[in-house]
Amino acid sequence: IVICADAACSTQLIDGDGTFNVSGVDHFIKEVKLEECGLSYAVVSIMGPQSSGKSTLLNHLFGTNFREMDAFRGRSQTTKGIWIARCAGIEPCTVVMDLEGTDGRERGEDDTAFEKQSALFALAVSDIVLINMWCHDIGREQAANKPLLKTVFQVMMRLFSPRKTTLMFVIRDKTRTPLENLEPVLREDIQKIWDAVPKPQAHKETPLSDFFNVEVIALNSYEEKEELFKEQVANLRQRFFHSVAPGGLAGDRRGVVPANAFAFSAKQMWQVIKDNKDLDLPAHKVMVATVRCEEIANEKFAGFIANENWRELEEAVHSGPVSGFGKKLSSILQSCLSEYDTEATYFEEGVRSSKRQQLQEKLLQLVQPTFQDLLGHLRSGALENFKDAFEKALNAGEAFSASADVCAQSCVSKFDKGCEEAVIEQANWDTSKTREKLQRDIEAHISSVRTAKLSELTTLYESKLNAALSGPVEALLDGANDETWPAIRKLLRREGELAVYGLSDALSGFDMDEETRNKMLTDLENYARGIVETKAKEEAGRALMRMKDRFTTIFSHDSDSMPRIWTGKEDIRAITKMARSASLKLLSVMAVIRLEDELDNIEKTLTLALVNSTSNSATSKSISTIDSLASSTWEQVAPEKTLITPVQCKSLWRQFKNETEYTVTQAISAQEANRRNNNWLPPPWAILALVVLGFNEFMTLLRNPLWLGVLFVGYLVSKALWVQLNISGEFQHGALPGLLSLSTKFLPTVMNLLKKLAEEGQAPSTNTNQSSMNSSASAQSDVTTNGESSSSSSSGSSPAKSVPIDTSS
């Protein structure tokens, strides 16, 4: 029989009675031009239970036209014998064989010889064998074709040489169970079958991989998820392109028959298979026992799933640990297995035991996730208990390592006790992995807490060092002198030793190795040193500001820290030199870090080069000293200890002198002005001339005392005008500015004075001459006050000073 449609021909290779169709195969080979392919062709076959969708899968996968079952007419045998067709659109030429389904009712209970024969033929001829099976049959015996494969493997090793066939298990109608969980079960079953097969002497140690490559894929339901099924089949189809090339599905096949000898080779293999007696049927009672025991096992499995006690126990485990879980579940499982034993007592013992073992494995596989959930609850609860107990122990002041060991041992013991209560009698499950994970979690938590505590201790003592060193070091550098660095070294040594001692005492409870402990203490010492070095670098960056502050303090204040008043008697040159020397001292102290007791000549070098260079600039010694600052390093000082290089010192000193020059100039100006203000009397010779030349006038005054009164009144008026006009202050800035200022203020001041005198004269006289004199003094004082206001308003540059007039003379 040959059926052709759309360039895809299907031919019955072997009919249902086991007859090889020689003429049909020859016609098929000519139609598909197989003879022209040489070795570049592949043979794919499919086997599996009846009505499992094998033909449907081939038609979608390879574009063939095998007859498919009509679901509306019921489930029945569709493919009889073995059919062959060429795959459409796949290179190289790929021939596919559709085998009659296994376990079909049409052949009856006792006729499985053809199933074994066709399966052996497919494995012997094909490069790739698709084993079609339902997802829910994984783990079963007959439905998963285990006995069939066992017999076929055994006979194949005896009849044919290994040709490296690829077994691709196609899991149909996959459920929610991930493929990652199904694939190991299949591979383990195939390996068990291979290990159990009696092998000839030549293949005693031959591994499964020498005969077969095992692949596992999963497809969704064609009826329920047709579009997803077609998409998955389309992806699978891509794997059959260039399947015989290196790296392809059949890239490592061996013993390939040329295409023109395919028909002859297939016919000979079928004849050998038909003549072999090892493929006879098993005993009838075994088949009956197999079917009935499997039905009983399935009933008991379904009953266990519906068991109310099991459902309540499973629900309780989802919420948390359950006390007595192992005993309760063991009782339920034992009841289920006892019921199976009662109903299957009279069936063949080997089959009964095998199915009981399978039932027990399925039950244990069902309850294992719940058991694992219970272990997870026990582990998480033990871990939380450890964390709480460990934290309380640390808060109570207990040693870190001792409390960690005690709490860990206590929590692990409680976990072990919980595992003992959860153990199921029917299973030999190992809880050591969960216990090891709990121990790893505890160790990880201890490590994290240790790290956090050590970090807290380190931070605590570092903050103490910061508080103990930063401020004092800054203060010592601010008052830089010869004792600055010795004091800093003493401070660093004292505070460093205190911090190291405190940290060492705190680390005693951590059970640390000596190397790690010493490293932490050394790091703390280095940190203290780093604080001093960092603060020294900061202060060195403010060296110019500090130098100017020190210069201003010394230059503008005397030895009693009182502000200087430049009266003209001070030696500004000496004061300036002293202030600059003090600033240079500060610069020399800040130039380098001196945390070791080592001598250097930095101050001497700076003094010779910057302070004494002016007077000695002509000498060669001074020139060499100045040249010594033309360097980026100091003699006898390591570069990493240098804060201010010689070149930078020279630049800072130049900038310092420029910025303090104005202060010195102002002091000199103030001294000269003060000297001019105090020198208002005429020279001695002028005074002598006045006495000699004015002798006659003096005698005239003695002879006429009235003139004394006139002169006294004139003196008072003159004194009042002197004070009101602030003549000495006006002439402080020069003669011409003083005259101009007085010319604008003289007339208003005189008018104001006369006005006050007039007002006082009009007031009634109520007392004696003494009262009149007091009134005159009061008027004079008012005139003085008004004169001051006028003077202040007319001269904004020099405020007038109020000087009291002594009227007693």
Side-chain angles (χ1 to χ4, degrees), residues 21-305:
N21 185 7
V22 178
S23 60
V25 172
D26 291 339
H27 178 74
F28 170 82
I29 291 175
K30 291 179 180 179
E31 285 292 328
V32 301
K33 300 179 181 180
L34 184 62
E35 295 177 339
E36 302 175 4
C37 295
L39 299 178
S40 182
Y41 75 102
V43 180
V44 181
S45 61
I46 189 168
M47 57 186 289
Q50 177 180 298
S51 303
S52 61
K54 299 188 299 300
S55 301
T56 302
L57 174 61
L58 294 180
N59 291 340
H60 283 85
L61 185 60
F62 300 113
T64 55
N65 61 348
F66 293 117
R67 183 183 173 191
E68 300 178 9
M69 183 190 74
D70 188 353
F72 294 97
R73 295 184 179 180
R75 305 182 70 84
S76 61
Q77 187 180 52
T78 304
T79 304
K80 295 182 180 180
I82 301 175
W83 287 73
I84 189 171
R86 177 177 178 175
C87 303
I90 294 181
E91 294 296 334
C93 178
T94 301
V95 177
V96 62
M97 293 191 302
D98 188 10
L99 275 65
E100 178 180 324
T102 61
D103 199 19
R105 67 180 177 82
E106 286 78 1
R107 285 193 177 271
E109 183 177 280
D110 297 329
D111 190 9
T112 59
F114 184 82
E115 295 176 4
K116 297 181 180 181
Q117 292 170 350
S118 60
L120 181 57
F121 177 77
L123 290 173
V125 174
S126 305
D127 301 307
I128 304 169
V129 177
L130 304 178
I131 301 177
N132 199 57
M133 60 190 304
W134 285 305
C135 183
H136 56 263
D137 285 338
I138 296 176
R140 296 180 177 177
E141 191 74 13
Q142 295 292 337
N145 297 313
K146 290 182 182 179
L148 177 62
L149 288 176
K150 181 177 181 180
T151 304
V152 169
F153 283 177
Q154 181 178 351
V155 177
M156 185 176 181
M157 283 191 296
R158 184 166 54 83
L159 297 181
F160 307 105
S161 60
R163 54 179 278 114
K164 203 62 176 295
T165 304
T166 298
L167 299 180
M168 179 175 285
F169 288 84
V170 182
I171 303 173
R172 303 293 296 276
D173 299 354
K174 72 172 183 176
T175 60
R176 294 181 178 179
T177 305
L179 179 61
E180 293 81 6
N181 295 345
L182 298 175
E183 182 175 351
V185 176
L186 282 175
R187 291 185 179 274
E188 183 180 359
D189 290 344
I190 296 300
Q191 187 64 46
K192 287 181 178 179
I193 293 172
W194 180 261
D195 295 338
V197 166
K199 304 178 182 66
Q201 190 63 33
H203 297 294
K204 280 290 184 182
E205 303 298 328
T206 302
L208 175 67
S209 58
D210 280 4
F211 276 78
F212 303 102
N213 292 324
V214 179
E215 296 273 347
V216 181
I217 63 170
L219 301 176
N220 284 93
S221 173
Y222 173 70
E223 295 180 358
E224 297 178 3
K225 300 180 180 179
E226 183 177 354
E227 294 300 323
L228 182 58
F229 172 85
K230 291 180 179 180
E231 179 182 349
Q232 292 172 342
V233 169
N235 293 333
L236 178 60
R237 175 183 172 85
Q238 299 300 319
R239 300 190 63 184
F240 288 87
F241 282 86
H242 308 291
S243 59
V244 298
L249 283 175
D252 55 349
R253 62 180 182 169
R254 297 190 292 268
V256 184
V257 177
N260 55 10
F262 173 78
F264 176 79
S265 174
K267 181 181 178 181
Q268 293 300 316
M269 286 185 179
W270 179 248
Q271 189 63 40
V272 171
I273 291 171
K274 286 198 67 175
D275 294 340
N276 183 60
K277 300 302 181 182
D278 289 342
L279 297 175
D280 288 344
L281 293 172
H284 177 72
K285 65 176 183 178
V286 174
M287 295 297 296
V288 173
T290 300
V291 174
R292 186 66 190 118
C293 288
E294 185 170 348
E295 289 178 352
I296 296 173
N298 290 337
E299 291 175 2
K300 300 310 169 187
F301 183 75
F304 178 85
I305 293 177

Side-chain angles (χ1 to χ4, degrees), residues 330-621:
S330 296
S331 176
I332 300 173
L333 289 172
Q334 187 59 40
S335 176
C336 180
L337 293 173
S338 298
E339 292 175 2
Y340 169 85
D341 292 336
T342 301
E343 296 186 25
T345 301
Y346 300 104
F347 292 104
E348 201 273 332
E349 182 179 359
V351 176
R352 184 179 73 240
S353 300
S354 174
K355 295 301 178 182
R356 188 186 191 279
Q357 182 64 28
Q358 292 179 19
L359 173 61
Q360 181 172 319
E361 290 177 356
K362 287 180 64 177
L363 291 173
L364 293 179
Q365 186 177 3
L366 175 66
V367 303
Q368 188 176 25
T370 304
F371 177 76
Q372 293 296 333
D373 288 344
L374 178 64
L375 291 184
H377 290 312
L378 293 175
R379 183 185 62 81
S380 59
L383 181 61
E384 290 301 321
N385 290 336
F386 167 77
K387 291 180 179 179
D388 294 340
F390 187 41
E391 184 178 0
K392 290 179 180 178
L394 292 180
N395 292 337
E398 297 182 15
F400 184 91
S401 298
S403 59
D405 293 340
V406 171
C407 294
Q409 187 175 359
S410 173
C411 291
V412 172
S413 298
K414 291 181 181 178
F415 173 80
D416 291 339
K417 184 178 180 181
C419 289
E420 290 177 2
E421 295 179 355
V423 168
I424 301 171
E425 295 177 3
Q426 293 80 5
N428 189 23
W429 289 333
D430 185 15
T431 61
S432 60
K433 291 185 177 179
T434 307
R435 189 178 190 274
E436 291 173 0
K437 187 174 187 336
L438 172 62
Q439 290 178 329
R440 289 196 300 269
D441 292 341
I442 290 176
E443 291 172 0
H445 181 70
I446 292 174
S447 178
S448 64
V449 174
R450 178 194 297 271
T451 302
K453 291 294 183 182
L454 292 178
S455 178
E456 290 178 6
L457 284 175
T458 304
T459 303
L460 173 64
Y461 284 98
E462 285 179 352
S463 62
K464 287 183 177 180
L465 284 173
N466 266 318
L469 292 176
S470 295
V473 169
E474 182 177 351
L476 288 171
L477 290 174
D478 186 30
N481 53 47
D482 292 334
E483 297 300 321
T484 296
W485 283 109
I488 291 176
R489 289 195 294 270
K490 182 178 179 181
L491 174 68
L492 174 61
R493 184 166 54 253
R494 183 181 71 251
E495 298 299 335
E497 289 175 354
L498 288 175
V500 168
Y501 177 78
L503 181 60
S504 177
D505 185 60
L507 294 179
S508 60
F510 283 86
D511 193 19
M512 302 173 63
D513 59 277
E514 195 66 22
E515 182 179 356
T516 304
R517 182 173 177 276
N518 291 337
K519 183 179 183 302
M520 291 188 65
L521 298 179
T522 303
D523 290 343
L524 186 63
E525 291 178 350
N526 294 334
Y527 181 80
R529 187 185 183 94
I531 293 175
V532 176
E533 293 178 351
T534 301
K535 183 57 65 175
K537 290 177 182 177
E538 291 177 3
E539 293 302 313
R542 297 192 287 263
L544 179 61
M545 181 184 69
R546 298 292 190 192
M547 291 168 64
K548 292 191 295 182
D549 290 345
R550 175 165 292 193
F551 177 85
T552 302
T553 301
I554 296 177
F555 186 79
S556 302
H557 296 78
D558 57 19
S559 58
D560 296 328
S561 298
M562 298 296 293
R564 291 185 187 275
I565 299 176
W566 304 104
T567 61
K569 300 177 181 179
E570 296 81 11
D571 187 353
I572 294 181
R573 180 180 299 275
I575 295 173
T576 302
K577 186 174 182 179
M578 179 179 63
R580 286 179 176 174
S581 297
S583 300
L584 187 68
K585 165 67 74 175
L586 186 145
L587 179 61
S588 66
V589 169
M590 290 187 176
V592 297
I593 297 173
R594 299 177 177 88
L595 293 181
E596 285 78 22
D597 192 6
E598 299 176 352
L599 299 178
D600 57 67
N601 57 353
I602 295 176
E603 182 179 0
K604 181 179 179 181
T605 302
L606 291 176
T607 302
L608 293 175
L610 302 177
V611 177
N612 301 334
S613 61
T614 304
S615 59
N616 301 329
S617 59
T619 65
S620 59
K621 181 178 179 181

